[in-house]
Amino acid sequence: MKICHLYLILISIAFFSGCASDNSKEKIEKKVVKPVVISTWNHGIPANQEAWKILSNGGNALDAVEKGVRTAEANPDVQTVGLGGFPDREGKVTLDACIMDHHNNCGSVAFLQHIKHPISVARKVMEETPHVMLVGEGALKFALEQGFGKENLLTEKTKKAYEAWLVTSDYKPVINIENHDTISMLALDENNNLSGACTTSGASWKMHGRVGDSPIIGAGLFLDNEIGAAAATGMGEAMIKTAGSAMVVELMRHGRSPYEACKEVVERIYKIYKGQPDLEWLQVGFIALNKQGEYGSYCLRPGFNYAIQTNTIKNELINADYKIQ
Ligand code: SD4
C-alpha cells in the first residue's frame, strides 16, 4: 500500500509540474506578442482600428498613435476630445495634446483653440521646432504656419450643453461624464518600439486658461523605450500632483507589472485626496504597456474601460479594476 501511495504521489508531482511549466510557457509567449495597441475608453475601439492598420503592416508606433487618436479628435460625438469637445466656463473649446516616441522625443500643445487635430500639431512641435511645448496663441500661430486650418470647434450640441450649464454655473464635474474621456493611446510596434499619444478638450467647464495633465509629459503620458509606457485619463490635477504616468513607468522599471504599477499610483492619488471634498468628483485611470507587450490598467472608481488589440486579441473593451465604489 505504501509503495502504491508513493507511486501515486510521484505521478501527481510529475503531472502538476508539467502543468506549471505549460503555464509559464504560455506566460512567456504572451510576453512576446507584438504589435500591441491600447487606448482609453469606448472611443479607443475605432482609434485602435485605425492604429492597427499601420501596426499590422509593419508600420511604426508613432504613426499608429497619431493616426489612431485623430479618429476621436475628428468625431463630433466624442464630446471630450477635439471637434465637439465641451468648452470652458467662457464657452471656448481649448485643447491639450502630447505625443512621445521611442527616442524620448516629445511634442505638446496646450490651451490651443480652433484646431481640430492638436495631436498632429504636437507632432509638428516635436519634429519641426527645438521645443517640446507650445501654448495658446503661440501654438495657434505655429499650427496655422504649418498649414492647419482654423475651425469653429463648438458644435450645436456642445453649445446647448454649455448654455444649460450656465444656468447654475456650478463647478462639480459629474464623475465619468464631465471629467473624463481623454483619449490616451500606447503602442508597441514590430520593431519593438513604443510610442504614445494623448489628446483632450480637458475637464468640462474648466477655468479659461486651465491646462490639465494631458499635454504634460510625465503626467498624462510617459514612456521609456527600455521599460514601457503609461498614460492617463481623469482629473488632470491629480496626475500632475503625482507625476502619474512617469511614476507608472518607474514602478515598472522596478519590477511591477503594468497592472501593479497603475494600481500603486492610483493608491497614491487616493491617499492624497482621501478626506478632501475633491474626492467626491475624482476619477483617475491609467493604462500601461511594457516592453514585453504585457498591458494593464487601474482606476479609482468603476466606469473606466480601455480597448486593447494584439495579434491574438481582436480589439476588445475591458473594464478596468478599481479601488472604490
Ligand atoms: C484633464 N485628463 O484635462 C483630462 C480630462 C479628461 O480623461 O478628460 N481625462 O484633466
Side-chain angles (χ1 to χ4, degrees):
M1 280 297 271
K2 275 185 183 163
I3 290 175
C4 179
H5 276 150
L6 187 64
Y7 181 68
L8 278 174
I9 287 166
L10 285 175
I11 297 244
S12 307
I13 289 170
F15 176 76
F16 285 114
S17 57
C19 287
S21 70
D22 275 347
N23 280 344
S24 55
K25 221 191 270 162
E26 208 174 277
K27 262 189 188 160
I28 290 163
E29 276 166 11
K30 250 191 195 166
K31 282 184 179 179
V32 292
V33 170
K34 61 183 184 218
V36 182
V37 60
I38 177 170
S39 53
T40 53
W41 304 105
N42 292 353
H43 45 56
I45 292 282
N48 280 3
Q49 257 163 22
E50 203 56 32
W52 194 253
K53 286 183 198 161
I54 294 168
L55 293 170
S56 58
N57 283 309
N60 70 61
L62 183 66
D63 290 338
V65 295
E66 182 197 1
K67 295 281 159 19
V69 301
R70 279 173 63 103
T71 60
E73 289 181 336
N75 185 347
D77 293 328
V78 177
Q79 294 185 292
T80 41
V81 183
L83 173 70
F86 285 126
D88 64 18
R89 292 177 201 188
E90 296 184 9
K92 308 227 168 69
V93 181
T94 73
L95 306 176
D96 296 339
C98 75
I99 194 160
M100 189 164 188
D101 77 7
H102 62 288
H103 291 301
N104 277 60
N105 294 317
C106 37
S108 159
V109 288
F111 191 46
L112 173 64
Q113 296 182 59
H114 310 300
I115 304 288
K116 184 162 76 184
H117 288 300
I119 198 64
S120 298
V121 185
R123 183 164 177 180
K124 289 282 183 197
V125 172
M126 176 173 99
E127 292 176 342
E128 307 291 338
T129 81
H131 308 304
V132 162
M133 190 170 195
L134 292 178
V135 306
E137 280 300 313
L140 177 61
K141 184 168 174 270
F142 170 73
L144 297 175
E145 281 164 9
Q146 290 291 319
F148 290 84
K150 197 170 175 179
E151 293 178 50
N152 172 23
L153 303 177
L154 191 69
T155 58
E156 273 311 304
K157 211 166 145 190
T158 43
K159 194 167 165 237
K160 275 199 189 126
Y162 171 63
E163 284 162 359
W165 176 77
L166 270 183
V167 176
T168 57
S169 305
D170 200 10
Y171 188 65
K172 280 195 175 169
V174 182
I175 296 252
N176 285 336
I177 300 202
E178 291 178 346
N179 61 358
H180 85 297
D181 267 16
T182 289
I183 184 155
S184 298
M185 176 182 275
L186 309 170
L188 178 67
D189 64 27
E190 277 193 350
N191 290 322
N192 225 18
N193 287 323
L194 290 159
S195 282
C198 186
T199 175
T200 189
S201 52
S204 320
W205 334 131
K206 60 193 174 185
M207 289 175 70
H208 187 61
R210 180 266 190 187
V211 169
D213 60 315
S214 305
I216 312 281
I217 298 293
L221 172 72
F222 194 69
L223 68 89
D224 179 327
N225 204 48
E226 287 183 6
I227 306 298
T233 180
M235 197 165 86
E237 283 73 6
M239 267 70 80
I240 296 173
K241 285 178 189 179
T242 51
S245 294
M247 285 305 152
V248 172
V249 173
E250 281 312 293
L251 289 164
M252 291 195 287
R253 187 192 308 280
H254 292 286
R256 308 296 196 289
S257 69
Y259 169 84
E260 289 166 345
C262 293
K263 187 169 183 218
E264 196 162 326
V265 177
V266 170
E267 302 271 1
R268 286 183 195 178
I269 291 172
Y270 176 68
K271 222 166 147 187
I272 292 169
Y273 282 89
K274 203 174 156 194
Q276 289 187 23
D278 279 6
L279 184 65
E280 200 187 311
W281 57 73
L282 184 66
Q283 170 65 308
V284 290
F286 290 95
I287 52 171
L289 171 64
N290 71 15
K291 199 57 186 180
Q292 288 73 40
E294 294 172 324
Y295 57 88
S297 175
Y298 197 79
C299 61
L300 187 67
R301 297 170 192 279
F304 169 52
N305 57 10
Y306 63 94
I308 174 79
Q309 183 156 16
T310 71
N311 276 324
T312 53
I313 303 171
K314 209 175 174 295
N315 205 10
E316 68 184 47
L317 275 176
I318 296 181
N319 290 321
D321 196 8
Y322 52 86
K323 179 161 179 64
I324 51 174
Q325 285 294 339

